[in-house]
């Protein structure tokens, strides 16, 4: 099941370092991304295995059964308010032993200037003054809050396993 609104989502920002979201935004406004998604799954020969559902996680995920999914991959908007909702909505769906994962975690909350990240968590992208590295402050802050600390990560990919008592780290190959 692939849930996505396939709709524009980028908020205008001052000094936007990465123009890729603006290119994506333009394609979304022209409804090209959903068509490309359908083309790609067809070309890959997996369109019969994929159920695309257009909508936000707030609208769609509560309709799915809790504790029934082995894996949920989050790759949505990078703003804290969106990421934390995606985590809460998808986290309920994962069965014990299952994996909640995603991407775009360049820096974790223990690595960044927390005051800066907090002030910029509703921005798509920023440069952390502590490390000088580019990161998604909303992803960083939402993951830190939801999992209450450090998460398993490698090259921007992150993953955590659901347990009876909460979430635990998983071993990720760093190569």
């Amino acid at each position: 099941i692939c849930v996505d609104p396939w709709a524009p989502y980028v908020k205008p920002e001052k000094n936007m370092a990465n123009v890729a979201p603006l290119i994506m935004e333009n394609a979304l406004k022209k409804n090209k991304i959903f068509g490309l998604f359908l083309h790609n799954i067809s070309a890959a020969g997996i369109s019969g295995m994929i159920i695309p559902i257009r909508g936000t996680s707030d609208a769609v995920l509560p309709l799915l059964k809790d504790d029934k999914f082995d894996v949920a991959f989050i790759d949505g908007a990078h703003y804290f308010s969106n990421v934390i909702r995606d985590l809460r909505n998808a986290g309920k769906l994962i069965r014990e032993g299952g994996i909640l994962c995603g991407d775009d975690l360049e820096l974790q909350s223990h690595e960044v200037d927390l005051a800066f990240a907090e002030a910029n968590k509703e921005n798509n992208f920023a440069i952390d003054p502590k490390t000088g590295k580019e990161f998604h402050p909303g992803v960083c802050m939402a993951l830190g809050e939801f999992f209450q600390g450090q998460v398993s990560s490698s090259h921007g990919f992150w993953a955590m396993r659901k347990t009876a008592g909460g979430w635990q780290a998983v071993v990720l190959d760093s190569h």
Side-chain angles (χ1 to χ4, degrees):
I1 297 174
C2 183
V3 176
D4 196 304
W6 285 284
Y9 65 93
V10 174
K11 300 174 190 173
E13 296 175 22
K14 290 187 291 183
N15 305 322
M16 197 166 207
N18 183 354
V19 297
L22 297 176
I23 294 168
M24 177 71 82
E25 186 76 357
N26 189 39
L28 284 165
K29 286 178 183 175
K30 295 178 180 178
N31 202 30
K32 291 183 176 183
I33 301 300
F34 184 61
L36 180 60
F37 172 79
L38 294 175
H39 167 78
N40 288 346
I41 62 173
S42 177
I46 59 170
S47 57
M49 297 170 36
I50 306 292
I51 301 169
I53 302 174
R54 286 187 92 153
T56 64
S57 68
D58 282 339
V60 177
L61 298 187
L63 303 174
L64 303 175
K65 293 190 180 210
D66 290 353
D67 303 316
K68 297 294 181 193
F69 288 78
D70 293 316
V71 176
F73 187 92
I74 297 175
D75 184 21
H78 300 124
Y79 309 112
F80 174 87
S81 55
N82 295 93
V83 178
I84 198 72
R85 282 195 313 264
D86 288 347
L87 289 165
R88 290 175 181 152
N89 289 329
K92 294 175 187 176
L93 301 178
I94 303 299
R95 71 178 76 205
E96 188 175 332
I99 301 288
L100 183 58
C101 57
D103 62 1
D104 300 320
L105 179 65
E106 300 83 8
L107 295 169
Q108 296 197 45
S109 57
H110 69 277
E111 299 172 307
V112 301
D113 177 326
L114 275 177
F116 176 84
E118 178 66 30
N120 288 279
K121 69 184 184 182
E122 290 299 334
N123 288 333
N124 180 54
F125 209 66
I127 298 174
D128 175 51
K130 179 178 173 182
T131 64
K133 295 179 180 177
E134 296 176 336
F135 79 121
H136 293 89
V139 175
C140 168
M141 298 301 287
L143 289 169
E145 180 179 309
F146 185 79
F147 293 112
Q148 300 177 358
Q150 193 170 345
V151 302
S152 305
S153 69
S154 178
H155 304 287
F157 174 80
W158 60 268
M160 295 291 280
R161 182 177 312 282
K162 191 171 189 178
T163 66
W167 299 92
Q168 74 180 74
V170 297
V171 177
L172 298 175
D173 186 357
S174 62
H175 293 79

